[in-house]
Amino acid sequence: MWSVVRSQSPWRSAVKTLGCSTARHAIRGNQRVLRTVQRSKTSSTGGGGSSIVKNVEKNQKQLVRTVSTAKPTSQSVIQASAAAAPQQAYKAPPAEVSKVAPQPKPVVLPDYVVMDGNHAAAYVAYALSETSFIYPISPASSMGDHMDNWAATGKKNILNQIVDVNMMQSEGGAAGALHGAVAAGSLTSTFTASQGLLLMIPNMYLLAGELMPTVLHVSARTVSKHALSIFNDHSDVMATRQTGFAMMCSSNVQEVMDQGLVAHIASLKTRLPFVHFFDGGRTSAEMSKIRPITYESMKEIFPMDALKSHIRDFALNPTNPMIRGTGQRPDIFFQSTVAAHKYYEAAPRLVEETMEEVAAITGRPLKLFNYHGSPSAERVAVIMGSASKTMEEAVDYLNTQGENVGVVAVQLYRPWSSKHFLAALPASVQKVAVLDRTREDGASGMPLFLDVNVTLSDEGSQKLITGAQYGLASKEFTPAMCKAVFDNLSAENPRKKYVIGINDDVTGTSLPYGAPINTVPPGTKQCAFWGLGSDGTVGASKTAIKTIGLNTDMFAQGHFVYDSHKEDGVTVSHVRFGPSEIKAEYCIASDADFISCAHPSYVHKYDMLSTLKKGGTFVLNSPWNTLADMDRKLPATLKRQIAEREAEFYNIDAIALARDIGLGKRINMPMQACFYDLSGVLPVEEALKLLKTAIVDQYAHKGPEVVKKNQEAVDRAVGSLKKIEYPREEWLSVQTGGQKKKRSEMEGSSKFVMDIMGPVLALEGDKLPVSAFEPGGYMPVGTTRFEKRAIAPEIPVWVPDKCTQCNYCAIVCPHAVVRPFLLDKGEMKAAPSGFQTRKAKGGAESAGMNYTIQISSYDCTGCAVCVQSCPDDALYMAPFEKVAEDNAPHWDYAYALPEKEIGEKYTVKGSQFQKPLLEFSGACAGCGETPYMKLATQLFGSRMVVANASGCSSVWGGTATTNPYTVTKDGSGPAWGRSLFEDNAEYGFGMALGTKQRRYRLEDCVQNALATTSGGHELREALTKWLKVKDDPDPCDAISHKIIELLSSQRELTGLDVNFETIYQQKDMLRTQSHWIVGGDGWAYDIGFGGLDHVLSRGENVNVLVLDTEMYSNTGGQVSKATQLATVTKFAAKGKRQNKKDLGQAAMLYENVYVASVALGANMNQCVQAFRDAESYDGTSLVIAYAPCIDWGIEMKFMMDEMRKAVDSGYWTLYRYDPRRTEAKQNPFQLDSRKLKSDLKEFLVGQNRFERLVRLNKDTASSLHTDLSNVSHHRHEKFRKLAMDEYEMLEYLKTKLGEEVSTEKSIVLYGSETGNAEALAGVFSNELKRRGVRPQCMALDDFDFDTLQNFKNVYCIIATCGQGELPGNCKEFWKLMNDANLDNDFLANVNYTVFGLGDSGYVFYNEAAALFDKKFEELGGKRIMPLALGDDKDDEK
């Protein structure tokens, strides 16, 4: 039974404060409370029901009398001469005061649903919003996604409207739009977390100051400090408590639903904007079985009068004009601020009233402060958020053990109501522990602790009050910790302020706690599913929760833990089922009934079975199907755990099953079928039937074939499950077993890797003490090479005899696991057995060398991009288990070889002999972003400084402990930093200017030393040269090394003159630095565009790399301004209706910015040259890189093919805009994809992001796809004209007008695979221009073959690939030349010559050039000169 406010005085106070109408509405609320209590009194226990009914009836009568005799309050808020003013308090219809209360309707509880906290918050927000402004940020993004999906499907709110949902460019933009919508009189909402909430603070002050009702739903998340964290604490919401917003906290999913409704309605009643927050990552993502509130029930208690009087009447409207947002002087600002105080005083009571109204329609009690525990408790904890439920569970357990404790959960945090807090606190309490989930360094106490202290101090209480900090960044808070908190209160000398959950061995502030205790209710089933990111385990667990929760009487709960890899990282799904409410807001720490493992490598990495109860079930996915396999492969520790726990042990080769069906690595359905077969939570046949139905719901948007394959997996899984009958007695004492591969490499690594990275990778970072960490968040680089995840089911194998040594496989590899190596004779002799090589092909620089391709088996993710990109079929995929162990020594040997810089590095082939300084990142398998950044590090990595925007590239590039950026042999390499999402351009700009200023100072010091210091001729000579080349990277690097060597030597021998010593102290500034500003399209096109545009305008020497995935990839794939027309993605569920923003054209308008648009898979050489040109340009450069993403709905092994198709169809354009060409009187714009070669609509069919619209609405899809095709063709034609010089434009216009054009036209055509032929064609073309000939120059496939006979002179430069094959950009031209319908005199009026590039070391030396030369002759062409052949082996090439 729940209580209500009994005193008459608050009601009288309400009439005085807000007038009769508010009290009348309170009467209605009181009537609902009365009806609820009357309905429930017959089932109450303890004899308290009747007294509560009497008390409510008494309050009801008193209210009517008070309202009848009260004088009305002042109606005027704004003095206007021509119009009646809006009201301070809303009006209830007068008739309702005397109306006899209607007979209560029986409460019909809605069916249970399973949803997470974000879903619950969005469900309520949609009901009570007319407009909503959204922007993605983890972990709040899915709330906006729900809103957009519902609007797209026509869902109506309680006012029978479809909510107008708008994606904004930033959280600040969302807050500004929200402010405007409320100013226009609209019900509105938004959703955010962490930095996003902080960006809203300026508008939050305005919303509160202007008394504007609205609700911000916040998935509370850590604010970035020394490091970014996407996990939960209350630091973000605590940073807004001074804004004037009311603040409500929900502690579980059901409360999010109920109190979300309270927040919306109370905001209307109080005129205060509300922050409704709940724990991000925990409550926001926790799947739970709850009862929803129907929209009909919400409408019953929705205060339409308050909507009118508190929003509509204050709307900015020319019909009834007013002004707001004025500027005020010191004489009135203070008073105007305090004038709103009465609203804050009245708010707690009005919130309480609203809670009672919501309770009346749900039957679930709500309070401002919820007490749980012993009525006579002497020790009480005060806490907010999900941890309060853990504390409740612990309190129940402790009280059964003879303790006398309780907990107060804070629901309404602002305005703080001391009166309600004291009322909730039992009179018997002597000691209070206040726990804050935030940390304010340097403060005398944490926020909640201070509020409780002031409250009790004002009351004159002498209670002992302790303050604790817990749970930062989702640090676990468990029942054992709860017990320690209460034990501390009982101590003779309790700790007054402390942290709990960590070991602070530096400043000694931590409170110790004991071993895990099992406090879950009897009958609760606990299951842990260990999965591999992207294998579907988390999705399968969510499906199980829904299936069991909705088809049994059991409660269900699921919490999901992820590591920081973008994909293929470890996931653990903690799932509980039980007959009682589940309050365990923490991971399963003991007594698990069922544990499954989705990847065999985990048996070596993680302690999975320490939580398994005796007799529990363990299911392993592995290729080890026999006891002998298990004996050989399982580590001894795991075998002992299985035996000690008497586990029921099963195995299934789910990978083989999934591969056979065509599901790739997605093993979720086979593993879930095994769970149902073994768990017994539902009859197996019924469970599998429900599972198949769930598959339709889950995968229908991916097409019928995906649904069919998953259902087949369910059918076949149970029969593939095998029980392992292990020898228990033998395993109890076993000391031998499988060993983790590559562990020895980690053991020989740094202290950081062993002491910090190792435990973190084993998911044991919670055990690390404070002393293990360096303050400030600094971490070493190059640590990913020690990780050795071994996650790929298949890995590539090299076939030497088919390889043409093009190095394509290396340049496309997203994780730098496929690499070419060159070995001299001595290195060949020392190579391990089975190490395969072939004679290196190339010029004199590779003479005497042998070539090999090696694969890092244990770092490979198995994406197969290399295999698909190999033009010679020189790679194939093989099962990991069969080849990894044998190949590992070969990789280790090659990796340790001295670095060799051979050949021209600014070519496709030559670049790949440079060590990649980005290796083994945590990016998704087949990531489209990492190849670009890896290439940049190969070209300039030793001098790079990287400012990285938050997003995918900061996750795979900057996850704590596993850092993929590494160093060269001399220890130099990329220096990497991340600031925020929105300010990355400014952050990188600041770093560049800071470096520039420091180098200016060094330059002054060098000049001063040369002018004032004598001696040291060699050093003076070196410093003089440095002044000349300090901005030229390669010469500067060379002379800088010499200067440092000379200074160091002299310093050690005789000491340095003060001027030279000054230079020595600044030696880190001698080398040039290459500053790169890197981020995704969400940053560059949206939230960071203002800063980026400013940086582009300044002309400083910085390089910007935009990794364009055309969506917010890091937060789940939301729409951005880079998203193309017709794309279906999150926040654009109906398909995007606007064209993609053209960032490149915007940058070109400045005319002094180098701009390139690249797509590696479409033209590798163009990409390499663009990077080279951008970095060498003494000014601002912008490279926009087309980066396929798994969220596009493509198979990532075809990533490079998708790039090529995008360019061929005109979807993506390749170009370079180089301002330096203007100085040479050349067109600065070069179009590198001159010809459209395929139909755009065919390209769209291959990607689910476009196909989804076809399935949703075929007519709309057809229309939008046609529009996109037209836009693409228009853009291509615009670029084609932009690339023309004056003569080409003149001829183009003459042709358009039907006028005669010159017949003396010349053209240079090339067929180039690695860029050499293209480069030579450019040189030759320029030489012709110098001699007065103005030729066009382009790839053969970019040329319109039908116009060939219109050219007088044709110069063809063509390379030969591999085994006599044609380069990729001339195959279409060759096909047309071989058309049987062509006449033998087709080229009778054409003069031609062919120059071939080849390598005489190949059997098919210059085969391609010979073929073209012959075909030109066969078609009637006249040779200008005989076929010329260039040999790569010629020293004078």
Side-chain angles (χ1 to χ4, degrees):
M1 182 53 62
W2 46 289
S3 61
V4 295
V5 175
R6 296 169 173 81
S7 171
Q8 296 177 9
S9 58
W11 304 110
R12 288 177 175 164
S13 175
V15 175
K16 291 180 181 179
T17 304
L18 294 181
C20 302
S21 59
T22 301
R24 291 188 183 105
H25 200 79
I27 292 171
R28 297 203 305 276
N30 208 44
Q31 289 170 341
R32 297 186 186 100
V33 172
L34 176 59
R35 293 197 296 271
T36 303
V37 175
Q38 288 172 332
R39 286 195 297 270
S40 60
K41 69 180 181 178
T42 56
S43 61
S44 64
T45 60
S50 60
S51 63
I52 293 174
V53 172
K54 292 176 182 177
N55 203 27
V56 175
E57 291 171 341
K58 182 178 180 182
N59 282 337
Q60 185 75 6
K61 293 174 182 177
Q62 180 62 41
L63 274 167
V64 175
R65 287 198 300 271
T66 305
V67 172
S68 300
T69 59
K71 295 181 180 179
T73 59
S74 173
Q75 303 285 310
S76 178
V77 177
I78 301 174
Q79 297 297 326
S81 59
Q87 305 301 304
Q88 285 190 0
Y90 59 87
K91 296 179 182 178
E96 286 204 18
V97 176
S98 57
K99 188 190 298 182
V100 177
Q103 292 296 316
K105 298 178 182 178
V107 175
V108 179
L109 295 176
D111 291 336
Y112 280 108
V113 296
V114 173
M115 62 174 62
D116 61 29
N118 278 353
H119 190 166
Y123 174 85
V124 173
Y126 194 92
L128 299 172
S129 299
E130 295 169 303
T131 56
S132 187
F133 302 95
I134 58 178
Y135 186 80
I137 182 170
S138 299
S141 301
S142 65
M143 289 187 278
D145 192 32
H146 287 304
M147 298 289 284
D148 180 62
N149 285 333
W150 291 328
T153 56
K155 184 182 178 76
K156 302 288 185 68
N157 62 14
I158 66 168
L159 301 179
N160 202 35
Q161 284 185 300
I162 299 172
V163 179
D164 188 1
V165 181
N166 291 271
M167 161 82 169
M168 300 303 292
Q169 87 287 4
S170 70
E171 293 92 350
L178 178 138
H179 185 196
V182 185
S186 175
L187 290 169
T188 190
S189 59
T190 191
F191 317 89
T192 192
S194 192
Q195 261 77 20
L197 181 61
L198 270 57
L199 286 175
M200 296 183 175
I201 285 178
N203 268 292
M204 292 177 71
Y205 274 102
L206 295 173
L207 287 159
E210 295 174 5
L211 298 174
M212 289 185 157
T214 190
V215 179
L216 278 60
H217 294 277
V218 177
S219 293
R221 174 189 138 183
T222 306
V223 174
S224 298
K225 296 176 66 176
H226 63 282
L228 174 144
S229 175
I230 62 168
F231 300 99
N232 163 246
D233 60 38
H234 299 160
S235 56
D236 54 355
V237 291
M238 289 302 166
T240 67
R241 66 187 188 278
Q242 76 279 14
T243 61
F245 263 62
M247 302 173 75
M248 289 195 70
C249 180
S250 293
S251 57
N252 63 18
V253 179
Q254 185 69 71
E255 281 187 10
V256 172
M257 174 77 68
D258 297 348
Q259 293 191 163
L261 177 58
V262 171
H264 277 271
I265 293 177
S267 182
L268 284 173
K269 291 182 179 182
T270 61
R271 286 190 65 191
L272 301 181
F274 270 64
V275 164
H276 172 224
F277 69 96
F278 42 92
D279 289 349
R282 167 57 72 178
T283 308
S284 70
E286 178 184 293
M287 298 292 291
S288 187
K289 179 177 179 178
I290 69 167
R291 285 197 189 274
I293 307 172
T294 65
Y295 280 16
E296 292 78 11
S297 296
M298 292 183 192
K299 192 171 184 180
E300 286 180 21
I301 63 172
F302 183 76
M304 293 296 296
D305 45 355
L307 172 61
K308 180 179 186 304
S309 61
H310 286 172
I311 292 189
R312 306 288 203 231
D313 288 351
F314 283 93
L316 291 177
N317 191 315
T319 304
N320 185 20
M322 67 177 75
I323 186 170
R324 60 156 49 104
T326 61
Q328 292 185 353
R329 289 168 47 81
D331 54 346
I332 63 171
F333 184 90
F334 198 164
Q335 301 94 301
S336 297
T337 299
V338 176
H341 182 61
K342 61 185 177 183
Y343 294 96
Y344 291 91
E345 285 189 323
R349 180 189 51 75
L350 293 173
V351 172
E352 184 177 48
E353 172 195 294
T354 306
M355 285 180 162
E356 291 165 356
E357 292 174 353
V358 172
I361 62 172
T362 66
R364 293 183 291 271
L366 296 170
K367 298 181 181 179
L368 306 190
F369 296 89
N370 187 57
Y371 178 76
H372 182 93
S374 169
S376 59
E378 296 181 352
R379 291 169 292 149
V380 165
V382 181
I383 197 167
M384 281 194 292
S386 61
S388 67
K389 294 302 178 185
T390 298
M391 187 67 84
E392 286 182 14
E393 184 183 82
V395 162
D396 290 341
Y397 170 82
L398 292 172
N399 285 339
T400 64
Q401 303 298 306
E403 302 278 6
N404 189 23
V405 295
V407 56
V408 175
V410 180
Q411 311 294 94
L412 180 69
Y413 179 58
R414 287 288 183 270
W416 179 266
S417 174
S418 296
K419 182 185 74 172
H420 288 86
F421 173 76
L422 292 170
L425 203 64
S428 56
V429 172
Q430 299 298 313
K431 300 175 181 180
V432 179
V434 184
L435 292 90
D436 278 274
R437 199 162 201 163
T438 189
R439 182 177 178 87
E440 296 184 6
D441 291 307
S444 61
M446 298 304 108
L448 183 57
F449 173 76
L450 294 178
D451 287 325
V452 173
N453 262 282
V454 171
T455 296
L456 295 177
S457 176
D458 289 348
E459 187 70 9
S461 171
Q462 298 300 311
K463 295 178 173 63
L464 170 70
I465 309 171
T466 66
Q469 298 156 47
Y470 75 98
L472 297 192
S474 291
K475 180 69 74 176
E476 282 285 274
F477 184 68
T478 66
M481 297 175 197
C482 298
K483 182 179 185 301
V485 169
F486 287 116
D487 288 346
N488 180 62
L489 290 177
S490 298
E492 185 176 349
N493 294 303
R495 298 285 295 273
K496 296 293 181 65
K497 296 177 184 177
Y498 56 88
V499 299
I500 189 163
I502 63 172
N503 175 15
D504 178 8
D505 58 343
V506 175
T507 56
T509 62
S510 56
L511 185 70
Y513 57 94
I517 53 177
N518 184 18
T519 59
V520 296
T524 303
K525 297 286 186 182
Q526 301 190 101
C527 311
F529 303 91
W530 290 71
L532 183 72
S534 79
D535 71 357
T537 297
V538 171
S541 301
K542 291 180 178 180
T543 300
I545 293 165
K546 291 180 181 178
T547 302
I548 296 171
L550 300 181
N551 292 280
T552 72
D553 293 333
M554 287 189 282
F555 288 85
Q557 176 211 61
H559 173 62
F560 311 97
V561 176
Y562 309 83
D563 73 3
S564 295
H565 294 96
K566 286 301 300 177
E567 191 187 60
D568 295 324
V570 63
T571 66
V572 188
S573 302
H574 296 267
V575 178
R576 294 181 174 99
F577 308 103
S580 306
E581 180 185 359
I582 299 169
K583 297 183 178 181
E585 299 293 334
Y586 52 89
C587 297
I588 297 168
S590 65
D591 297 275
D593 296 272
F594 182 96
I595 294 177
S596 68
C597 171
H599 200 276
S601 68
Y602 290 2
V603 301
H604 299 289
K605 298 177 182 178
Y606 309 116
D607 180 12
M608 294 180 291
L609 296 193
S610 61
T611 61
L612 186 68
K613 75 177 186 180
K614 196 167 187 177
T617 300
F618 175 47
V619 177
L620 175 64
N621 164 44
S622 80
W624 315 320
N625 289 312
T626 67
L627 179 60
D629 289 337
M630 294 297 175
D631 247 335
R632 187 174 64 256
K633 296 290 187 178
L634 295 187
T637 52
L638 183 61
K639 287 189 279 190
R640 288 198 299 270
Q641 284 180 320
I642 291 171
E644 288 163 358
R645 286 158 176 75
E646 300 179 12
E648 296 288 318
F649 181 24
Y650 294 84
N651 186 74
I652 179 174
D653 192 350
I655 285 287
L657 178 61
R659 188 189 299 126
D660 184 53
I661 294 172
L663 290 173
K665 61 183 179 182
R666 294 191 67 83
I667 61 169
N668 52 329
M669 288 308 160
M671 295 300 286
Q672 192 170 359
C674 294
F675 166 70
Y676 283 126
D677 183 53
L678 299 174
S679 65
V681 293
L682 284 172
V684 176
E685 289 187 8
E686 179 187 351
L688 297 183
K689 182 178 179 181
L690 291 169
L691 179 55
K692 288 185 178 181
T693 302
I695 285 171
V696 177
D697 296 336
Q698 190 172 350
Y699 293 114
H701 69 284
K702 295 189 175 183
E705 189 63 25
V706 174
V707 171
K708 180 182 177 182
K709 289 178 179 178
N710 277 277
Q711 290 182 336
E712 182 183 349
V714 171
D715 289 333
R716 292 174 56 182
V718 175
S720 302
L721 187 65
K722 294 183 179 180
K723 186 172 185 179
I724 306 297
E725 300 289 355
Y726 57 91
R728 181 172 180 270
E729 292 302 320
E730 179 183 328
W731 280 20
L732 279 171
S733 57
V734 68
Q735 298 298 318
T736 60
Q739 298 296 315
K740 179 182 178 181
K741 302 298 185 296
K742 310 301 291 177
R743 182 66 190 177
S744 58
E745 186 170 331
M746 182 176 287
E747 289 171 352
S749 60
S750 68
K751 182 176 176 60
F752 173 86
V753 171
M754 287 300 299
D755 295 349
I756 297 179
M757 177 178 162
V760 169
L761 292 180
L763 302 186
E764 295 179 352
D766 286 320
K767 299 176 183 178
L768 294 173
V770 171
S771 61
F773 298 94
E774 180 74 20
Y778 304 101
M779 299 219 168
V781 298
T783 58
T784 48
R785 67 189 179 95
F786 301 110
E787 192 173 7
K788 306 302 175 191
R789 293 195 284 162
I791 57 172
E794 295 180 319
I795 59 175
V797 176
W798 182 50
V799 184
D801 291 335
K802 291 186 177 181
C803 180
T804 58
Q805 303 181 14
C806 64
N807 286 353
Y808 287 5
C809 56
I811 199 171
V812 303
C813 178
H815 291 82
V817 302
V818 180
R819 298 191 199 175
F821 295 94
L822 292 171
L823 292 81
D824 60 28
K825 292 181 179 178
E827 292 163 345
M828 280 296 302
K829 289 181 180 178
S833 174
F835 191 92
Q836 295 196 75
T837 66
R838 292 296 183 269
K839 185 178 179 181
K841 300 182 182 297
E845 69 275 4
S846 60
M849 295 283 187
N850 273 40
Y851 175 95
T852 185
I853 289 287
Q854 293 298 326
I855 292 95
S856 181
S857 305
Y858 293 96
D859 297 302
C860 181
T861 62
C863 66
V865 171
C866 58
V867 174
Q868 292 299 322
S869 301
C870 178
D872 306 308
D873 295 326
L875 291 165
Y876 68 93
M877 299 299 288
F880 178 89
E881 286 290 321
K882 293 184 178 180
V883 296
E885 193 169 345
D886 291 338
N887 287 350
H890 303 158
W891 167 265
D892 292 342
Y893 178 74
Y895 187 82
L897 290 172
E899 296 170 25
K900 298 181 180 68
E901 297 182 0
I902 294 176
E904 171 54 53
K905 76 174 180 179
Y906 294 112
T907 63
V908 175
K909 182 174 181 176
S911 66
Q912 296 313 295
F913 289 122
Q914 309 295 312
K915 179 181 178 179
L917 301 184
L918 173 71
E919 59 181 9
F920 320 137
S921 74
C924 298
C927 175
E929 293 185 343
T930 49
Y932 295 109
M933 199 61 195
K934 182 191 69 171
L935 175 62
T937 69
Q938 289 174 295
L939 300 178
F940 336 106
S942 64
R943 60 178 182 269
M944 287 181 78
V945 180
V946 180
N948 211 126
S950 293
C952 277
S953 55
S954 72
V955 175
W956 54 251
T959 292
T961 75
T962 49
N963 303 312
Y965 288 99
T966 189
V967 296
T968 63
K969 59 188 176 184
D970 65 0
S972 60
W976 186 95
R978 178 197 57 79
S979 180
L980 298 171
F981 193 17
E982 62 273 12
D983 71 343
N984 188 53
E986 298 93 321
Y987 177 56
F989 182 71
M991 285 199 289
L993 290 185
T995 300
K996 180 180 177 182
Q997 195 68 7
R998 290 184 64 194
R999 293 197 89 215
Y1000 279 158
R1001 181 173 184 273
L1002 176 60
E1003 184 180 357
D1004 290 342
C1005 291
V1006 170
Q1007 290 173 338
N1008 183 58
L1010 291 173
T1012 62
T1013 306
S1014 60
H1017 173 74
E1018 189 177 6
L1019 177 58
R1020 291 175 61 82
E1021 189 177 72
L1023 289 171
T1024 301
K1025 184 175 181 180
W1026 180 85
L1027 288 172
K1028 295 178 181 178
V1029 301
K1030 62 183 175 59
D1031 295 322
D1032 192 350
D1034 291 334
C1036 181
D1037 275 5
I1039 199 64
S1040 295
H1041 284 299
K1042 184 175 182 180
I1043 291 170
I1044 293 171
E1045 184 179 303
L1046 291 169
L1047 285 170
S1048 299
S1049 177
Q1050 186 173 328
R1051 190 171 188 261
E1052 186 175 336
L1053 291 173
T1054 62
L1056 291 173
D1057 173 272
V1058 64
N1059 290 318
F1060 287 144
E1061 179 65 27
T1062 301
I1063 296 171
Y1064 180 82
Q1065 295 300 329
Q1066 301 175 73
K1067 61 182 181 295
D1068 61 330
M1069 288 288 107
L1070 284 168
R1071 298 176 64 227
T1072 56
Q1073 294 183 12
S1074 182
H1075 285 265
W1076 287 80
I1077 299 170
V1078 180
D1081 51 275
W1083 158 69
Y1085 288 72
D1086 286 3
I1087 193 171
F1089 176 71
L1092 175 59
D1093 179 62
H1094 184 75
V1095 170
L1096 293 176
S1097 75
R1098 294 298 302 275
E1100 289 292 338
N1101 190 4
V1102 295
N1103 309 286
V1104 181
L1105 173 60
V1106 178
L1107 302 167
D1108 193 348
T1109 63
E1110 300 192 319
M1111 59 176 59
Y1112 284 78
S1113 299
N1114 193 47
T1115 52
Q1118 290 82 14
V1119 66
S1120 77
K1121 292 188 188 71
T1123 306
Q1124 190 54 275
L1125 178 73
T1127 305
V1128 175
T1129 186
K1130 292 179 180 178
F1131 293 12
K1134 292 190 294 186
K1136 186 165 182 269
R1137 304 304 170 93
Q1138 300 83 31
N1139 292 331
K1140 178 186 175 104
K1141 177 179 179 176
D1142 197 326
L1143 183 62
Q1145 284 202 79
M1148 283 187 280
L1149 291 175
Y1150 285 114
E1151 297 189 349
N1152 66 340
V1153 178
Y1154 178 93
V1155 185
S1157 174
V1158 302
L1160 183 63
N1163 191 328
M1164 294 177 186
N1165 181 61
Q1166 187 260 359
C1167 184
V1168 172
Q1169 301 314 311
F1171 272 83
R1172 179 198 63 185
D1173 296 344
E1175 203 268 348
S1176 66
Y1177 178 61
D1178 187 15
T1180 308
S1181 71
L1182 171 66
V1183 178
I1184 308 168
Y1186 187 63
C1189 176
I1190 194 169
D1191 284 332
W1192 291 3
I1194 62 173
E1195 195 171 352
M1196 293 307 295
K1197 68 180 180 181
F1198 300 118
M1199 167 182 68
M1200 293 294 160
D1201 291 332
E1202 289 297 326
M1203 293 190 198
R1204 177 185 54 77
K1205 292 176 183 177
V1207 171
D1208 287 351
S1209 66
Y1211 181 87
W1212 185 268
T1213 307
L1214 304 181
Y1215 62 80
R1216 287 170 284 173
Y1217 178 90
D1218 191 343
R1220 289 170 294 195
R1221 290 171 59 88
T1222 304
E1223 299 170 7
K1225 302 192 182 306
Q1226 296 175 320
N1227 188 342
F1229 184 81
Q1230 297 171 270
L1231 181 61
D1232 295 314
S1233 53
R1234 290 172 174 258
K1235 182 180 178 182
L1236 301 185
K1237 304 172 185 176
S1238 61
D1239 183 63
L1240 178 68
K1241 292 183 179 180
E1242 292 180 7
F1243 165 73
L1244 300 180
V1245 169
Q1247 298 191 9
N1248 193 52
R1249 57 178 174 154
F1250 295 109
E1251 274 292 280
R1252 285 180 64 184
L1253 188 61
V1254 176
R1255 294 194 293 270
L1256 289 170
N1257 189 318
K1258 188 173 291 187
D1259 292 339
T1260 299
S1262 176
S1263 175
L1264 290 180
H1265 289 177
T1266 298
D1267 290 346
L1268 177 55
S1269 180
N1270 293 337
V1271 167
S1272 298
H1273 280 83
H1274 172 74
R1275 183 179 67 246
H1276 184 267
E1277 184 65 14
K1278 179 173 63 177
F1279 280 146
R1280 201 166 70 86
K1281 288 186 282 187
L1282 187 62
M1284 295 177 182
D1285 61 22
E1286 291 89 344
Y1287 290 92
E1288 289 172 325
M1289 179 58 74
L1290 179 61
E1291 290 193 357
Y1292 171 81
L1293 293 174
K1294 282 184 176 181
T1295 302
K1296 281 283 187 182
L1297 296 172
E1299 297 182 10
E1300 185 177 345
V1301 297
S1302 170
T1303 57
E1304 293 292 326
K1305 295 196 297 182
S1306 298
I1307 188 164
V1308 179
L1309 298 172
Y1310 58 83
S1312 182
E1313 192 73 24
T1314 62
N1316 291 329
E1318 179 182 357
L1320 182 59
V1323 172
F1324 183 72
S1325 178
N1326 288 333
E1327 183 63 22
L1328 288 176
K1329 290 178 182 178
R1330 194 175 68 83
R1331 295 168 184 250
V1333 180
R1334 302 193 60 83
Q1336 297 180 43
C1337 181
M1338 67 184 71
L1340 284 152
D1341 279 355
D1342 285 338
F1343 180 72
D1344 185 354
F1345 180 81
D1346 292 336
T1347 66
L1348 184 62
Q1349 56 189 334
N1350 298 332
F1351 285 80
K1352 185 67 175 178
N1353 301 306
V1354 176
Y1355 306 95
C1356 184
I1357 300 174
I1358 186 163
T1360 297
C1361 304
Q1363 304 302 316
E1365 296 177 6
L1366 302 180
N1369 60 359
C1370 69
K1371 291 181 178 179
E1372 185 64 27
F1373 188 97
W1374 177 249
K1375 181 179 177 182
L1376 294 170
M1377 286 190 84
N1378 286 276
D1379 186 345
N1381 295 318
L1382 290 178
D1383 296 331
N1384 290 336
D1385 60 351
F1386 178 69
L1387 300 179
N1389 297 319
V1390 174
N1391 301 317
Y1392 79 94
T1393 189
V1394 176
F1395 183 82
L1397 278 75
D1399 186 329
S1400 57
Y1402 286 81
V1403 174
F1404 299 96
Y1405 173 58
N1406 271 315
E1407 178 80 4
L1411 290 172
F1412 270 83
D1413 181 73
K1414 183 178 181 182
K1415 181 55 67 175
F1416 271 107
E1417 181 184 34
E1418 290 175 356
L1419 293 176
K1422 300 181 179 66
R1423 282 194 181 90
I1424 299 173
M1425 58 177 288
L1427 171 65
L1429 303 179
D1431 188 355
D1432 198 37
K1433 282 198 166 11
D1434 192 330
D1435 291 341
E1436 297 182 3
K1437 68 178 184 296

